[in-house]
Amino acid sequence: MAFQLPSLPYEHSALEPYIDTLTMEIHHGKHHQAYVDNLNKAIAGTTNENKSLEELVANAGAISAAVRNNGGGHWNHSFFWKSLSPAGGEAPEGLLADDINATFGSFDAFKTQFNTAATSRFGSGWAWLIRKRADYLNAYWKVVDWKQASQLYTDNK
Ligand SMILES: [Fe+2]
């Protein structure tokens, strides 16, 4: 069974004005779709053909670069879409908030370190993404789904 692009859990326009519709359409419909298509090509006719995405990614060190990179891209993007919400933003609460404060000193200090890590990470399209990336990070904080993040954090603690 070939992997398929998951639908977004909201409309492409749902994160406006922080993340615009065209960015979401390109990021989901073209970038993420390309990871799915290239993953399917990379596993076709191999022993990886019937494995789950989690099985592939869990064995990242033992699979080909094409499967690792495209499988990772598919998994990361699938996770990323679920980490955003039109009702997101604000700040985490509960255990996640407590541990962020204990680890980073404050939520703002965490955001600063997160933004620094993200803007200094190598990635494709680096030259033109540098200017976009800072704006995108600022927009990200407006739509991040802290309820979802807290649930995942608590469930896996
Ligand atoms: Fe992406």
Side-chain angles (χ1 to χ4, degrees):
M1 172 87 183
F3 290 106
Q4 297 191 331
L5 182 70
S7 299
L8 292 180
Y10 36 74
E11 297 295 319
H12 285 91
S13 61
L15 304 179
E16 297 259 13
Y18 305 111
I19 302 177
D20 66 90
T21 303
L22 182 60
T23 296
M24 291 298 290
E25 287 173 350
I26 291 170
H27 200 170
H28 177 249
K30 299 214 183 300
H31 295 175
H32 190 171
Q33 182 71 63
Y35 282 119
V36 172
D37 292 344
N38 289 328
L39 174 61
N40 285 331
K41 279 185 213 152
I43 61 172
T46 75
T47 55
N48 288 322
E49 199 167 32
N50 294 313
K51 291 188 178 153
S52 71
L53 186 57
E54 286 69 24
E55 286 177 295
L56 293 175
V57 173
N59 293 300
I63 55 179
S64 72
V67 175
R68 181 171 57 249
N69 293 341
N70 291 296
H74 176 30
W75 193 94
N76 288 344
H77 281 82
S78 299
F79 180 85
F80 181 66
W81 305 132
K82 289 186 280 187
S83 78
L84 304 176
S85 166
E90 305 294 326
E93 298 175 343
L95 181 62
L96 179 57
D98 293 345
D99 284 3
I100 284 174
N101 289 332
T103 304
F104 298 95
S106 69
F107 181 56
D108 282 341
F110 160 69
K111 284 168 66 173
T112 299
Q113 286 191 40
F114 183 97
N115 286 353
T116 299
T119 51
S120 59
R121 180 84 53 209
F122 171 80
S124 57
W126 177 253
W128 61 269
L129 276 176
I130 289 175
R131 282 193 62 162
K132 280 190 76 176
R133 199 176 287 181
D135 287 345
Y136 195 87
L137 282 165
N138 288 330
Y140 169 81
W141 296 113
K142 303 289 189 189
V143 293
V144 63
D145 189 344
W146 287 112
K147 209 180 275 182
Q148 161 82 350
S150 289
Q151 190 65 54
L152 285 170
Y153 187 76
T154 305
D155 290 350
N156 293 289
K157 181 88 178 180

